[in-house]
């Protein structure tokens, strides 16, 4: 049954089904508050066996603390992941002006379905805007302050950065990844190895949603498939479903300093060594095809 539902919702999110069938309570644009002044942005990230990436994300907030916005940094994690827990314990001691650390523990099965955490955060948020992202993305170079400027008075349901800077697909033995795997500490990156990409829509790590929308509709809250715990990390098909339910692919905005580490190995996925090798080959082929 779950396979059938997955197939159905993947087709539905392509526009084959009216989104109002599953989310009739999306607030009309005129009913969303056009907030101005010092905004609060909640960043929502997940981490399972990716502490060597999360270290760079949290470090970016230490290196580039926001001056004109308040940031709530929410991280969903599982206490069984000892390296991530140790990393969060370390950053809990870092006092960063304008930043509130918010660690949210989940069971392993709940963490493996990313829509569960995102939905809980969306329904509970008090922020003006939410940025749903992945733990391999960083906020550098005035990123969050410029985001605050770009969000002034806007009522859009969904936005995304016009540009992001990314690495090539890095192997696990790359020095950047190895550095993040050591003792918890504040890290920095060599920005010269990043190149610009220009996304066409609000993909999974680049979804910036209006707070009123999040509180009203959550994150795929009415699609039970995307709120069910699973035994291994599920593919994030709910990213597309979220855009469908919000009736928007997202509007691009100019935000500097968005950096993302791209990597070959998918450590969050479980499975056999042969399955891991196959996933790696597929990612390398996709990288070659998109050049």
């Amino acid at each position: 049954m779950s396979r059938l539902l997955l197939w159905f919702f993947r087709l539905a999110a392509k526009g084959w089904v009216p989104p109002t069938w599953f989310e009739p309570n999306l607030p009309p644009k005129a009913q969303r508050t056009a907030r101005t002044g010092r905004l609060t942005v909640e960043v929502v990230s997940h981490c399972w066996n990716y502490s060597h990436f999360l270290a760079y994300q949290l470090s970016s907030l230490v290196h580039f603390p926001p001056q004109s916005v308040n940031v709530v940094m929410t991280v969903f994690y599982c206490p069984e992941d000892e390296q991530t827990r140790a990393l969060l314990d370390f950053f809990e001691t870092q006092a960063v002006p304008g930043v509130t650390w918010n660690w949210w523990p989940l069971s392993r099965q709940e963490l493996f379905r990313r829509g569960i955490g995102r939905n809980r955060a969306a329904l509970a948020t008090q922020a003006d805007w939410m940025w749903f992202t992945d733990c391999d993305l960083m906020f550098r170079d005035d990123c969050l302050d410029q985001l605050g400027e770009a969000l002034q008075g806007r009522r859009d349901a969904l936005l995304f950065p016009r540009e992001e800077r990314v690495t090539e697909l890095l192997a696990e033995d790359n020095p950047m990844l190895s550095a993040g795997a050591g003792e918890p500490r504040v890290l920095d990156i060599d920005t010269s190895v990043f190149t610009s990409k220009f996304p066409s829509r609000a993909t999974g790590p680049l979804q910036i949603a209006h707070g009123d929308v999040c509180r009203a509709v959550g994150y795929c809250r009415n699609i039970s498939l995307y709120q069910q715990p699973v035994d291994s990390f599920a593919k994030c098909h709910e990213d597309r479903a979220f855009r469908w339910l919000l009736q928007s692919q997202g509007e691009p905005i100019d935000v500097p300093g968005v950096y993302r580490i791209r990597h070959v190995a998918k450590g969050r996925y479980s499975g056999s060594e042969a399955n891991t090798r196959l996933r790696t080959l597929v990612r390398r082929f996709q990288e070659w095809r998109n050049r």
Side-chain angles (χ1 to χ4, degrees):
M1 176 61 72
S2 61
R3 288 183 179 272
L4 181 60
L5 287 174
L6 180 61
W7 173 81
F8 171 79
F9 283 112
R10 290 182 70 181
L11 291 180
K14 292 181 178 180
W16 291 31
V17 175
T20 52
W21 286 10
F22 291 91
E23 189 45 77
N25 295 321
L26 178 69
K29 190 170 185 178
Q31 294 182 12
R32 304 170 203 158
T33 306
R35 293 180 174 85
T36 58
R38 187 180 180 98
L39 304 178
T40 297
V41 178
E42 181 170 1
V43 178
V44 179
S45 189
H46 272 64
C47 188
W48 170 257
N49 288 340
Y50 272 8
S51 60
H52 51 315
F53 298 102
L54 182 63
Y56 286 103
Q57 181 172 83
L58 302 182
S59 293
S60 71
L61 295 175
V62 177
H63 286 301
F64 301 92
Q67 303 297 312
S68 59
V69 296
N70 298 319
V71 174
V72 178
M73 182 68 226
T74 296
V75 178
F76 287 96
Y77 74 104
C78 175
E80 295 176 41
D81 182 351
E82 294 182 0
Q83 288 183 308
T84 296
R85 187 174 60 186
L87 182 75
L88 296 178
D89 287 345
F90 169 77
F91 275 94
E92 187 76 41
T93 68
Q94 304 296 308
V96 182
V99 175
T100 300
W101 306 123
N102 181 34
W103 315 146
W104 198 324
L106 295 177
S107 70
R108 181 190 298 206
Q109 291 77 15
E110 290 173 321
L111 188 70
F112 286 169
R113 179 75 78 181
R114 193 172 65 179
I116 293 176
R118 288 190 173 191
N119 183 54
R120 291 180 185 177
L123 293 173
T125 192
Q126 298 182 23
D128 301 311
W129 290 82
M130 300 190 78
W131 187 332
F132 299 103
T133 192
D134 291 337
C135 64
D136 50 13
L137 187 136
M138 292 162 282
F139 312 96
R140 299 175 58 85
D141 304 320
D142 216 24
C143 172
L144 293 165
D145 287 321
Q146 289 298 313
L147 173 65
E149 288 296 319
L151 296 177
Q152 294 292 311
R154 298 197 68 139
R155 293 188 172 95
D156 307 75
L158 189 62
L159 304 167
F160 65 95
R162 190 183 306 275
E163 177 184 6
E164 63 169 342
R165 296 184 62 79
V166 301
T167 63
E168 296 292 323
L169 288 175
L170 304 181
E172 284 296 299
D173 59 356
N174 182 276
M176 186 183 298
L177 305 192
S178 300
E183 287 295 314
R185 57 195 175 98
V186 178
L187 296 167
D188 207 353
I189 57 170
D190 175 8
T191 58
S192 67
V193 301
F194 291 73
T195 58
S196 292
K197 297 286 186 181
F198 299 91
S200 60
R201 61 193 182 281
T203 58
L206 303 174
Q207 295 184 331
I208 303 169
H210 196 288
D212 290 347
V213 170
C214 293
R215 284 181 285 274
V217 307
Y219 197 99
C220 304
R221 61 169 182 166
N222 293 327
I223 301 178
S224 60
L225 175 67
Y226 296 146
Q227 303 303 324
Q228 292 177 359
V230 287
D231 291 327
S232 59
F233 207 103
K235 296 278 285 184
C236 300
H237 298 298
E238 59 266 43
D239 296 348
R240 177 181 289 178
F242 185 59
R243 296 193 298 269
W244 165 61
L245 294 172
L246 266 56
Q247 302 175 35
S248 173
Q249 294 299 303
E251 293 294 328
I253 54 175
D254 292 318
V255 180
V258 180
Y259 284 75
R260 185 161 56 92
I261 302 171
R262 300 172 67 241
H263 41 101
V264 172
K266 282 289 187 181
R268 66 190 182 191
Y269 295 112
S270 60
S272 67
E273 183 178 345
N275 184 54
T276 300
R277 286 199 300 267
L278 177 59
R279 288 184 182 275
T280 298
L281 288 173
V282 169
R283 285 176 62 76
R284 288 192 182 279
F285 173 73
Q286 291 173 334
E287 171 75 359
W288 171 81
R289 185 185 61 183
N290 292 330
R291 287 179 178 174

